[in-house]
């Protein structure tokens, strides 16, 4: 019984082996290997031929392009050559020849012809995309050679155009691979429109911002701006579709979304720099307890000060006439009108600014009281230097306040200064 079972198993194995042999025999391995070798050989020869054609046409087009560029005096053809636009043109010729040679090379292999035609269609799309992007880059470089408000619109539009071109070419490649027309692919993408808008939200906002900045002439590359929201102050070095780069005065680079340049408060100092002026708006805090009326001895002393000599004589005559007309008893300080040390200092500071050679006399110039604080009365200087250069501006501002802070002592005015004891009492 066991012998019969063993014989049956051996027969089953023999039949299985016989079936595999028949499959291999029908498959004709030798013939299949020969066909495969022929196809691989043809593909290698076809590829080598395309590489040779690419090399020849690339060298030829470059040579012709170089001769054209060197023989003209135009700027735009140099830019086209530098951006390798002619190289992209050279790719069309070998690809066109290769596409025409597909059927003669592989006339007995219909499947390979179909796949190769798809590959060449995709290559044509990619080369057209490369050519188009290089053209757009060249146009942008030509149009943005000067920093003006149109530059922003050109740069934003060109970047948006490149993004749209890339998306369009991807859709064409999908249509080629799926054997569908472009309209069918676009229709199928309608369901994910909301997702596409969400993904490209910053791009859309950046493009709108660039067009708005160009039309309203708000900001351009090279402008000196300040953004209080981010505590940024520096020079705009680039405005593209999604972000703007600002070089701070400490030479660091800050990138902000382009949309923020129109959606947040931005201070543009460029007009000030064009006029070559810069504002000084700083105050000195005086102790109110040091304020007092000036007696005759003090007035005689101040009458020898060149800047306020005429002011004192004029005001004193005016005050004496008023007091005499009103029959006021001037033995009491509170009666009538009198000059004060803070008033004389304020006039001295004003005359000092009028006489200063580095302070612009054509712009607003004043010395004024601000609202009193618990620490004293601020006297603010509001004027403009006749330069916008930062180093010179800081030097002028420092020299003005160096002089006035020192001159305040001559008027018996006390500049408020918190001592260590007062600081610890306040914070302890």
């Amino acid at each position: 019984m066991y012998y019969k079972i063993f014989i049956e198993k051996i027969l089953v194995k023999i039949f299985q082996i016989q079936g595999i042999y028949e499959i291999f025999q029908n498959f004709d391995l030798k013939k299949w290997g020969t066909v495969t070798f022929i196809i691989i050989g043809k593909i290698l020869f076809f590829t080598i031929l395309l590489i040779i054609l690419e090399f020849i046409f690339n060298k030829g087009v470059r040579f012709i392009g170089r001769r054209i560029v060197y023989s003209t005096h135009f700027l735009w053809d140099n830019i086209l050559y530098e951006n390798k636009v002619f190289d992209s043109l050279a790719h069309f010729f070998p690809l066109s020849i290769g596409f025409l040679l597909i059927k003669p090379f592989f006339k007995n292999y219909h499947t390979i012809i179909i796949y190769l035609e798809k590959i060449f269609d995709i290559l044509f799309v990619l080369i057209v995309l490369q050519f188009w992007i290089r053209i757009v880059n060249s146009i942008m470089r030509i149009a943005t050679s000067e920093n003006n408000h149109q530059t922003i619109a050109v740069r934003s539009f060109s970047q948006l155009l490149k993004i749209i071109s890339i998306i369009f070419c991807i859709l064409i490649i999908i249509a080629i691979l799926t054997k569908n027309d472009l309209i069918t692919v676009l229709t199928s993408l309608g369901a994910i429109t909301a997702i596409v808008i969400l993904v490209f939200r910053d791009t859309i906002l950046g493009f709108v911002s660039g067009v708005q900045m160009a039309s309203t002439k708000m900001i351009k590359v090279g402008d000196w701006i300040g953004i209080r929201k981010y505590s940024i102050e520096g020079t705009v070095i680039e405005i593209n579709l999604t972000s703007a780069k600002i070089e701070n005065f400490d030479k660091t680079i800050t990138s902000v979304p382009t949309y923020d340049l129109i959606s947040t408060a931005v201070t543009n100092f460029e007009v000030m720099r064009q006029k070559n002026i810069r504002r000084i708006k700083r105050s000195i805090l005086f102790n109110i307890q040091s304020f007092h009326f000036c007696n005759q001895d003090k007035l005689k002393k101040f009458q020898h000060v060149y800047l306020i000599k005429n002011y004192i004589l004029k005001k004193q005559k005016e005050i004496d006439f008023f007091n005499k007309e009103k029959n006021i008893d001037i033995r009491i300080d509170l009666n009538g009108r009198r000059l004060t040390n803070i008033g004389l200092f304020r006039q001295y500071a004003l005359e000092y600014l009028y006489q200063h050679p580095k302070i612009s006399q054509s712009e607003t110039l004043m010395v004024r009281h601000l609202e009193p604080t618990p620490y004293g009365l601020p006297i603010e200087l509001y004027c403009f230097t006749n330069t916008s250069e930062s180093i010179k501006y800081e030097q002028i501002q420092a020299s003005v306040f160096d002089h006035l802070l020192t001159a305040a002592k001559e008027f018996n005015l006390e500049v408020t200064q918190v001592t260590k004891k007062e600081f610890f009492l306040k914070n302890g």
Side-chain angles (χ1 to χ4, degrees):
M1 180 178 179
Y2 291 105
Y3 176 75
K4 290 182 178 180
I5 294 172
F6 179 72
I7 294 297
E8 288 178 359
K9 288 184 177 179
I10 291 174
L11 291 172
V12 169
K13 294 291 183 183
I14 291 171
F15 287 136
Q16 289 176 351
I17 293 170
Q18 181 67 24
I20 294 171
Y21 175 76
E22 288 177 357
I23 291 171
F24 273 100
Q25 191 176 24
N26 295 331
F27 189 72
D28 195 356
L29 184 62
K30 185 177 180 181
K31 184 180 178 181
W32 180 83
T34 305
V35 171
T36 305
F37 179 77
I38 293 172
I39 293 172
I40 292 173
K42 284 190 173 186
I43 291 174
L44 285 175
F45 181 74
F46 188 72
T47 305
I48 292 170
L49 178 62
L50 286 180
I51 292 172
I52 294 172
L53 289 173
E54 169 70 20
F55 179 80
I56 294 172
F57 278 102
N58 195 21
K59 289 292 183 181
V61 172
R62 276 191 179 184
F63 176 76
I64 296 171
R66 195 183 305 115
R67 292 294 297 270
I68 293 172
V69 168
Y70 290 160
S71 63
T72 62
H73 301 286
F74 300 112
L75 176 64
W76 58 268
D77 55 358
N78 293 335
I79 294 174
L80 289 174
Y81 183 78
E82 291 172 5
N83 285 338
K84 299 182 178 180
V85 175
F86 299 112
D87 291 5
S88 296
L89 280 175
H91 297 320
F92 284 103
F93 300 107
L95 273 182
S96 300
I97 295 172
F99 186 79
L100 295 174
L101 293 176
I102 290 175
K103 289 184 178 179
F105 254 85
F106 305 96
K107 59 182 178 180
N108 297 324
Y109 308 101
H110 181 68
T111 305
I112 293 175
I113 290 175
I114 292 172
Y115 283 113
L116 284 177
E117 286 181 346
K118 282 188 177 182
I119 291 171
F120 270 77
D121 288 340
I122 293 171
L123 288 175
F124 271 117
V125 172
L126 294 176
I127 290 171
V128 169
L129 176 63
Q130 182 194 60
F131 176 74
W132 175 246
I133 288 177
R134 287 177 176 178
I135 286 286
V136 171
N137 289 337
S138 301
I139 293 173
M140 183 178 68
R141 188 174 165 187
I142 295 168
T144 59
S145 57
E146 296 181 2
N147 288 330
N148 51 43
H149 297 94
Q150 294 179 351
T151 300
I152 303 171
V154 172
R155 185 177 285 111
S156 298
F157 182 74
S158 62
Q159 290 178 342
L160 181 65
L161 195 60
K162 285 191 285 186
I163 291 173
I164 293 173
S165 301
I166 292 170
I167 295 172
F168 186 71
C169 287
I170 290 172
L171 294 176
I172 293 176
I173 291 172
I174 293 172
I176 293 170
L177 293 174
T178 58
K179 298 180 181 179
N180 292 317
D181 55 66
L182 188 59
I183 296 175
T184 305
V185 175
L186 290 172
T187 305
S188 62
L189 291 175
I192 59 171
T193 303
I195 299 175
V196 172
I197 293 174
L198 184 63
V199 170
F200 291 100
R201 173 183 173 273
D202 292 338
T203 303
I204 296 169
L205 290 176
F207 175 70
V208 173
S209 303
V211 173
Q212 187 170 347
M213 281 188 289
S215 60
T216 58
K217 298 183 179 180
M218 293 170 57
I219 299 169
K220 67 179 186 300
V221 174
D223 281 4
W224 169 17
I225 67 169
I227 306 176
R228 186 174 298 178
K229 177 182 177 181
Y230 299 111
S231 299
I232 297 171
E233 186 174 333
T235 304
V236 179
I237 59 174
E238 182 182 340
I239 300 176
N240 54 42
L241 195 59
T242 56
S243 65
K245 292 182 180 179
I246 300 168
E247 182 180 18
N248 302 305
F249 293 126
D250 59 357
K251 298 303 177 183
T252 57
I253 305 295
T254 303
S255 296
V256 298
T258 304
Y259 183 66
D260 276 359
L261 295 181
I262 63 170
S263 63
T264 59
V266 178
T267 304
N268 194 332
F269 301 100
E270 190 59 25
V271 176
M272 179 185 70
R273 186 158 63 179
Q274 289 174 357
K275 289 184 176 180
N276 199 31
I277 58 173
R278 189 170 176 181
R279 186 183 68 176
I280 295 177
K281 187 175 181 289
R282 185 176 290 184
S283 59
I284 303 173
L285 196 62
F286 289 105
N287 187 350
I288 297 176
Q289 294 181 357
S290 66
F291 297 173
H292 57 77
F293 294 115
C294 293
N295 55 30
Q296 291 298 323
D297 294 335
K298 288 286 184 181
L299 290 176
K300 286 181 181 179
K301 174 188 173 182
F302 290 137
Q303 282 178 1
H304 295 287
V305 178
Y306 170 71
L307 291 177
I308 56 174
K309 177 178 67 175
N310 294 332
Y311 173 79
I312 292 174
L313 293 174
K314 178 182 176 182
K315 293 298 290 186
Q316 195 59 44
K317 287 181 181 179
E318 182 182 326
I319 290 170
D320 290 342
F321 178 79
F322 177 84
N323 292 337
K324 187 175 181 181
E325 185 182 24
K326 299 294 182 180
N327 195 22
I328 296 173
D329 186 2
I330 59 174
R331 289 175 297 179
I332 300 174
D333 288 343
L334 290 179
N335 287 340
R337 294 169 57 188
R338 294 179 183 274
L339 292 172
T340 61
N341 62 340
I342 185 65
L344 290 178
F345 174 80
R346 183 165 49 82
Q347 185 63 31
Y348 174 84
L350 185 62
E351 294 295 336
Y352 179 77
L353 295 177
Y354 278 134
Q355 298 293 328
H356 201 291
K358 300 295 183 181
I359 300 297
S360 175
Q361 305 300 316
S362 60
E363 304 295 331
T364 304
L365 193 158
M366 60 181 173
V367 179
R368 60 178 179 174
H369 287 187
L370 298 182
E371 185 177 355
T373 69
Y375 299 100
L377 177 69
I379 300 294
E380 184 184 73
L381 275 66
Y382 190 101
C383 58
F384 292 82
T385 61
N386 56 11
T387 179
S388 60
E389 189 178 336
S390 296
I391 296 176
K392 292 181 179 179
Y393 165 79
E394 294 294 343
Q395 290 174 345
I396 295 168
Q397 182 174 243
S399 69
V400 168
F401 279 88
D402 286 347
H403 180 84
L404 294 179
L405 286 169
T406 306
K409 297 178 182 178
E410 299 296 325
F411 292 85
N412 295 324
L413 291 168
E414 181 183 342
V415 178
T416 302
Q417 181 177 351
V418 179
T419 62
K420 289 183 179 180
K421 182 179 178 181
E422 293 171 335
F423 178 79
F424 285 121
L425 285 173
K426 180 183 176 182
N427 297 277

